[in-house]
Amino acid sequence: MIARLLPESHLLIGEQATKEAVLQRIPSVSLVHFAAHGDAERGEIALTPPDSTMGIPHEQDYLLSMAEISQVRLTAKLVVLSCCHTARGQIKTEGVVGIARAFLGSGARSVVVALWALQDDATEQFMRRFYENLVQGESASECLHRAMKWMRNNGFSEVRQWAPFMLIGDDVSFHFGEELKVK
């Protein structure tokens, strides 16, 4: 769905979305979108285990951790974590320290995170509306606002369906075709 809205994008889908492939590709893109499972405790992102994994994979084979993101230099204006619990982390004096903070610390200007467990159908509709507005040049915060409003007016009236996402960082916007060069 996102590839259709962003025709210049090059996606890692399914078996292609290994931790190694993701870590290799994300330093060179201006928009990063994860649609995966998020760890309920730490907010880490579950990716595809590598083919070389025999039997049951170990977490380090597929969980994208805060430490790994902290070691990558990003140029992304926006990272969208369409994964459950990605706003989670350890609560410290300086606030919540989790994977969202790792993306910001590695150079991302802003991160969209989920505050709780997501419903698949609601999230798909939410992200469709979010990206439709982003493609039109709206800012990330305005895209969130418009997606939430659309959800409430179109059969997704429960708060858990329309309110899980939050923007952390700058209120960025894109001019597709000029600045979004996904490699």
Side-chain angles (χ1 to χ4, degrees):
M1 183 249 324
I2 292 170
R4 286 190 303 275
L5 293 170
L6 305 173
E8 294 181 27
S9 62
H10 299 280
L11 305 175
L12 295 173
I13 299 174
E15 293 177 3
Q16 299 171 333
T18 63
K19 185 164 66 169
E20 180 181 339
V22 167
L23 289 171
Q24 184 177 28
R25 178 123 5 130
I26 65 171
S28 63
V29 298
S30 58
L31 173 61
V32 178
H33 179 94
F34 286 96
H37 293 288
D39 179 75
E41 275 185 43
R42 301 178 305 266
E44 295 173 331
I45 301 167
L47 300 171
T48 302
D51 286 338
S52 61
T53 304
M54 297 295 186
I56 299 173
H58 300 285
E59 282 189 352
Q60 69 265 19
D61 294 333
Y62 64 89
L63 269 186
L64 185 59
S65 70
M66 188 173 98
E68 290 161 330
I69 292 300
S70 296
Q71 295 172 3
V72 178
R73 298 295 0 130
L74 300 176
T75 59
K77 285 176 74 174
L78 178 62
V79 176
V80 178
L81 302 178
S82 184
C83 318
C84 300
H85 310 293
T86 49
R88 295 244 174 128
Q90 292 182 342
I91 299 173
K92 299 191 175 206
T93 306
E94 61 273 17
V96 177
V97 178
I99 199 151
R101 170 89 46 104
F103 277 105
L104 292 169
S106 291
R109 288 189 45 204
S110 58
V111 183
V112 172
V113 295
L115 296 165
W116 53 74
L118 304 172
Q119 291 180 326
D120 290 343
D121 61 334
T123 300
E124 180 183 358
Q125 291 303 313
F126 188 95
M127 286 297 156
R128 179 183 310 277
R129 303 307 171 240
F130 177 83
Y131 279 101
E132 285 173 351
N133 289 299
L134 197 66
V135 167
Q136 297 301 316
E138 296 289 343
S139 70
S141 67
E142 183 64 23
C143 293
L144 285 173
H145 169 74
R146 288 179 186 233
M148 288 177 187
K149 184 176 179 179
W150 185 93
M151 296 289 286
R152 289 189 312 266
N153 293 330
N154 288 278
F156 296 94
S157 58
E158 296 179 38
V159 171
R160 65 187 171 101
Q161 295 173 312
W162 60 263
F165 294 103
M166 175 178 77
L167 178 68
I168 302 172
D170 295 336
D171 189 16
V172 299
S173 60
F174 289 87
H175 301 288
F176 291 95
E178 294 173 24
E179 63 188 59
L180 183 65
K181 303 293 183 210
V182 181
K183 299 175 184 172

